[in-house]
Amino acid sequence: MVTLETPRLVLRRWREEDVAPMASINADPEVMRWIRDGSVRDEQQTRDGVRAWEGEWESQGFGLFAVEIRSTGELAGFTGLSVPRFLPEVLPAVEVGWRLGRSHWGQGLATEAAVAVVRFGFEERGLERIVSIAQVGNDASERIMTKLGMRPVRETVNPTSGRHVRVFELSSDQYATATG
């Protein structure tokens, strides 16, 4: 089982005890504001999501990590890699994404976690490119994408929500140049 560690975080696979705190994060309208159509999710929807995320690990060799605060063991949310099937026009692609509870915003944790995940994707999984997709107006996520070295490559509409999104991209060559 893959585990990544950063100075403040442990990125690990999901446990049953993660469902309730992740459901609390998913139930916050401010957290969910920029996710698909902005709908919150309940505990069963969260449980189904965790099951699907774990299934991606089995089928793809990557997935979404539970993000744990090292000093407290608290679940902060998730970050990881997934296939953005909701936006077929960018496929084939692997997306880096994140969702943290509001109490963890503004501390650089999403960036810290995403940097580790991008490194994992390129160095451990041999990906050729990683994308990230944000709804237009989600400036906080776009700042993280920029910090990752990503550049905007297209603006389009998410067919599942009708909302405008920007697609950012980083190639393995760009990553190697920036980290080399």
Side-chain angles (χ1 to χ4, degrees):
M1 295 240 273
V2 177
T3 300
L4 305 178
E5 295 190 8
T6 72
R8 298 180 290 171
L9 305 170
V10 176
L11 286 71
R12 58 168 175 76
R13 299 281 293 270
W14 294 87
R15 303 177 188 144
E16 176 60 31
E17 60 266 25
D18 296 326
V19 173
M22 191 68 219
S24 292
I25 294 167
N26 286 340
D28 182 338
E30 191 60 25
V31 170
M32 300 304 288
R33 176 180 177 199
W34 300 109
I35 309 299
R36 295 204 174 101
D37 68 357
S39 298
V40 297
R41 297 196 179 107
D42 64 21
E43 188 160 331
Q44 186 57 53
Q45 290 168 313
T46 299
R47 184 178 307 285
D48 293 345
V50 168
R51 190 174 302 117
W53 302 334
E54 279 296 299
E56 241 185 9
W57 275 105
E58 302 308 318
S59 67
Q60 303 287 336
F62 56 76
L64 298 178
F65 291 97
V67 175
E68 181 181 299
I69 304 296
R70 285 176 78 126
S71 61
T72 65
E74 177 187 2
L75 182 79
F78 72 67
T79 190
L81 299 170
S82 62
V83 176
R85 291 180 184 88
F86 68 92
L87 195 61
E89 69 188 77
V90 302
L91 296 176
V94 175
E95 178 187 17
V96 60
W98 47 84
R99 182 181 311 153
L100 299 182
R102 247 196 294 179
S103 64
H104 301 289
W105 291 1
Q107 303 168 45
L109 296 175
T111 301
E112 184 175 322
V115 165
V117 167
V118 167
R119 181 181 314 114
F120 169 75
F122 286 130
E123 295 180 11
E124 302 296 321
R125 292 300 183 253
L127 298 176
E128 290 297 317
R129 104 184 147 118
I130 296 175
V131 301
S132 197
I133 303 162
Q135 288 186 17
V136 173
N138 186 348
D139 298 335
S141 281
E142 288 193 11
R143 279 192 298 276
I144 294 168
M145 295 170 190
T146 300
K147 289 176 186 175
L148 295 172
M150 299 183 135
R151 298 290 175 253
V153 292
R154 112 177 22 193
E155 192 167 313
T156 189
V157 174
N158 178 341
T160 66
S161 69
R163 292 183 170 187
H164 289 265
V165 295
R166 280 196 192 101
V167 180
F168 283 63
E169 180 179 281
L170 181 66
S171 72
S172 57
D173 289 343
Q174 291 166 326
Y175 172 80
T177 299
T179 59

